[in-house]
């Protein structure tokens, strides 16, 4: 990572929902956070200058609602990976917490990579191209020309009410078709797969997957790889009419015929039947020639379109591989160069540090030696000074004692003289005693 890059925590919608399931108030509700995922358009209409879309986790199909201004929304490409900055707003409805991420800034659009899931989807589409699509109009024409009814099995969701939309679209042409309705959990790929397996044993001409709409998150059911694998191997002609005009699911791309809405599905069948009824007024020979011509033209156009699409996808895949390889080589070269520079700098730093430590050790040893010499010199000077001071004190005390001794000697001579002059013997003894005491004290001090 370069020094200019900023490090910040990145969340996925699944992780944010997990956080909010454990706390009603966290920093994410009052502070700006970064959210990363696959952006998916919601309704095409703005409300109060804001759009309400979805952001899906990269690793699963968990999504979070997005509120984004019209200006920022204009910079978003549908189904691309983005890192967004904003804050979480929440509301409690029917004892449940609803979270919505309010976008403040678009931080980064991630380069689109080809995942294993995308490769699998691409393989399924290629497989469908190789198998080819069954012609709905040709099938209906062939059956009606033989005065046989077209058998149809339509799969609806539990408690669905869109059957009437299909019936209104089919209108008076319902007499040409034998229609059976089946229901299951339309948001569960497992339930749909189970129903398809059941219908595969009943020899229907057409099987339709019909849905009137719903939330965008549940549309991921129709991108399920296991369901899609089984879907393209079905013998009947497969039709989808799952209610979203903007999104194209994997099943829509693998279907033999796709209609946006249940009404369109019925109207499409009605159109084929009505067209055939009008053509029956013409001669049978002209009708057969027209059918052959239409089938051939449509088949040629489909083959040409599919070949162009396949060629374009192959070119995109080759370019993506080339760009990824170049990017990886550039990153590896940059990292190697940086590592080499860092190693050279580190070796220089080690060498300089060793030299600096060696110089410090030499200086310290020299300073220690100088300090030792100075201490020896100071000790000698102090000893000489102490000896000199002691000698001066002794000489001073000796001179003082000698002076005192001379005074005592003079006093002694004087006393003796007085004794000789006739002082009584008792006084002489006292004086001698006093002189002796003084002399003893003085000698004691000297010692």
């Amino acid at each position: 990572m370069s020094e200019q890059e900023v490090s910040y925590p990145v969340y996925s919608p699944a992780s944010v929902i997990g956080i909010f399931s454990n706390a009603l108030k966290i920093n994410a509700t009052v502070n700006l956070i970064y959210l990363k995922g696959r952006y998916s358009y919601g309704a095409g209409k703005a409300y109060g200058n804001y759009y309400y879309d979805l952001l899906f986790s990269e690793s699963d199909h968990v999504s979070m609602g997005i509120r984004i201004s019209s200006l920022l929304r204009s910079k978003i490409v549908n189904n691309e990976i983005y890192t967004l900055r904003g804050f979480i707003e929440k509301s409690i409805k029917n004892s449940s917490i609803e979270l919505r991420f309010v976008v403040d800034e678009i931080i980064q659009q991630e380069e689109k990579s080809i995942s294993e899931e995308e490769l699998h989807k691409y393989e399924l589409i290629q497989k469908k191209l190789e198998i080819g699509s069954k012609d709905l109009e040709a099938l209906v024409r062939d059956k009606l020309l033989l005065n046989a009814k077209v058998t149809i099995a339509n799969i609806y969701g539990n408690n669905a009410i869109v059957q009437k939309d299909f019936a209104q679209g089919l209108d008076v042409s319902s007499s040409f078709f034998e229609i059976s309705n089946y229901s299951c959990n339309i948001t569960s790929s497992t339930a749909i797969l189970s129903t398809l397996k059941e219908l595969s044993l009943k020899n229907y001409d057409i099987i339709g997957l019909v849905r009137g709409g719903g939330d965008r998150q549940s549309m991921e059911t129709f991108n399920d790889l296991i369901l899609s694998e089984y879907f393209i191997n079905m013998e009947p002609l497969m039709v989808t009419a799952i209610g979203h005009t903007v999104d194209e699911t994997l099943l829509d791309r693998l279907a033999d015929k796709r209609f946006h809405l249940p009404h369109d599905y019925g109207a499409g069948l009605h159109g084929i039947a009505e067209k055939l009824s009008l053509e029956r007024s013409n001669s049978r020979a002209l009708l057969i020639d027209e059918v052959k011509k239409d089938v051939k033209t449509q088949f040629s156009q489909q083959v040409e379109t599919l070949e162009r699409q396949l060629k374009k996808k192959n070119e995109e895949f080759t370019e993506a591989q080339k760009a990824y390889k170049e990017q990886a080589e550039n990153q590896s070269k940059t990292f190697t160069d940086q590592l080499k520079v860092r190693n050279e700098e580190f070796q220089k730093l080690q060498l300089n540090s060793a030299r600096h430590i060696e110089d410090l050790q030499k200086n310290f040893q020299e300073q220690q030696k100088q300090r030792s010499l100075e201490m020896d010199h100071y000790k000698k000077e102090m000893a000489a000074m102490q000896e000199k001071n002691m000698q001066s004190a002794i000489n001073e005390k000796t001179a003082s004692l000698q002076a005192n001794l001379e005074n005592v000697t003079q006093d002694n001579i004087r006393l003796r003289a007085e004794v000789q002059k006739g002082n009584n013997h008792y006084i002489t003894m006292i004086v001698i005693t006093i002189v002796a005491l003084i002399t003893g004290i003085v000698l004691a001090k000297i010692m």
Side-chain angles (χ1 to χ4, degrees), residues 144 172-173 176 269-279:
L144 296 185
V172 296
S173 298
F176 299 108
L269 295 176
H270 171 67
I272 296 172
E274 188 176 36
K275 181 179 179 181
L276 184 59
S277 296
L278 292 174
E279 291 172 351

Side-chain angles (χ1 to χ4, degrees), residues 158-177:
N158 294 326
N159 303 319
I161 59 173
V162 295
Q163 294 88 331
K164 62 180 182 179
D165 295 334
F166 172 77
Q168 288 175 356
L170 190 57
D171 200 17
V172 296
S173 298
S174 59
S175 60
F176 299 108
F177 302 92

Side-chain angles (χ1 to χ4, degrees), residues 233-382:
N233 292 316
M234 292 288 290
E235 184 64 24
L237 188 147
M238 303 304 292
V239 174
T240 59
I242 54 180
H244 275 253
T245 59
V246 177
D247 298 316
E248 185 181 45
T249 66
L250 182 57
L251 287 187
D252 286 329
R253 301 177 70 178
L254 299 177
D256 296 302
K257 183 66 175 178
R258 179 202 178 187
F259 297 95
H260 291 303
L261 300 170
H263 183 275
D264 297 340
Y265 176 22
L269 295 176
H270 171 67
I272 296 172
E274 188 176 36
K275 181 179 179 181
L276 184 59
S277 296
L278 292 174
E279 291 172 351
R280 276 180 172 176
S281 61
N282 301 322
S283 65
R284 184 172 298 275
L286 291 175
L287 177 62
I288 294 174
D289 290 339
E290 184 178 352
V291 170
K292 289 181 179 180
K293 182 179 179 180
D294 289 343
V295 171
K296 183 178 180 180
T297 301
Q298 187 176 14
F299 179 77
S300 299
Q301 290 175 348
Q302 287 180 348
V303 171
E304 184 178 355
T305 300
L306 292 175
E307 286 177 348
R308 286 199 302 267
Q309 292 176 349
L310 180 59
K311 181 179 179 181
K312 183 178 179 181
K313 292 296 182 182
N314 286 332
E315 291 174 351
E316 291 175 353
F317 182 76
T318 302
E319 288 296 325
Q321 281 185 321
K322 182 179 179 181
Y324 176 79
K325 183 178 180 180
E326 291 177 353
Q327 184 180 10
E329 290 176 352
N330 292 335
Q331 289 179 347
S332 177
K333 181 179 179 182
T334 301
F335 177 78
T336 302
D337 293 340
Q338 291 178 348
L339 182 61
K340 181 179 180 181
V341 172
R342 294 293 185 272
N343 286 335
E344 291 175 354
E345 292 176 351
F346 180 74
Q347 290 175 356
K348 290 180 179 178
L349 180 60
Q350 279 186 320
L351 183 60
N352 292 334
S353 298
R355 290 177 178 175
H356 183 63
I357 292 173
E358 184 178 355
D359 292 340
L360 289 176
Q361 288 178 343
K362 288 181 179 179
N363 292 335
F364 178 77
Q365 290 174 355
E366 290 293 333
Q367 290 176 358
Q368 286 290 96
K369 184 178 180 180
Q370 187 66 27
R371 296 292 184 273
S372 178
L373 293 174
E374 289 178 356
M375 288 297 295
D376 292 339
H377 179 68
Y378 289 150
K379 287 179 180 179
K380 290 179 180 179
E381 288 182 349
M382 289 177 66

Side-chain angles (χ1 to χ4, degrees), residues 93-140:
K93 294 181 181 180
N94 299 324
S95 300
S96 63
I97 300 175
E98 293 184 358
L99 306 178
R100 184 181 292 111
F101 184 73
V102 182
V103 180
D104 177 67
E105 183 180 354
I106 300 172
I107 300 299
Q108 180 182 356
Q109 178 184 358
E110 188 167 298
E111 293 185 3
K112 194 169 184 180
S113 60
I114 302 176
S115 63
E116 292 185 2
E117 183 177 359
E118 291 295 328
L119 288 175
H120 195 174
K121 289 180 179 179
Y122 178 73
E123 291 172 358
L124 288 175
I125 294 172
Q126 280 192 316
K127 183 177 180 180
K128 180 61 180 178
L129 293 176
E130 294 173 0
I131 296 173
S133 297
K134 303 177 183 68
D135 192 321
L136 176 63
E137 184 171 351
L139 185 148
V140 174

Side-chain angles (χ1 to χ4, degrees), residues 162-222:
V162 295
Q163 294 88 331
K164 62 180 182 179
D165 295 334
F166 172 77
Q168 288 175 356
L170 190 57
D171 200 17
V172 296
S173 298
S174 59
S175 60
F176 299 108
F177 302 92
E178 184 178 329
I179 301 170
S180 301
N181 295 332
Y182 293 84
S183 61
C184 69
N185 183 1
I186 203 72
T187 62
S188 168
S189 59
T190 305
I192 296 174
L193 181 61
S194 177
T195 305
L196 289 178
K197 290 180 178 180
E198 176 185 351
L199 296 179
S200 65
L201 304 175
K202 297 186 178 182
N203 297 321
Y204 285 102
D205 297 319
I206 299 171
I207 294 178
L209 193 57
V210 187
R211 182 177 185 236
D215 62 280
R216 297 171 62 87
Q217 184 172 344
S218 62
M219 291 290 290
E220 288 299 319
T221 300
F222 307 108

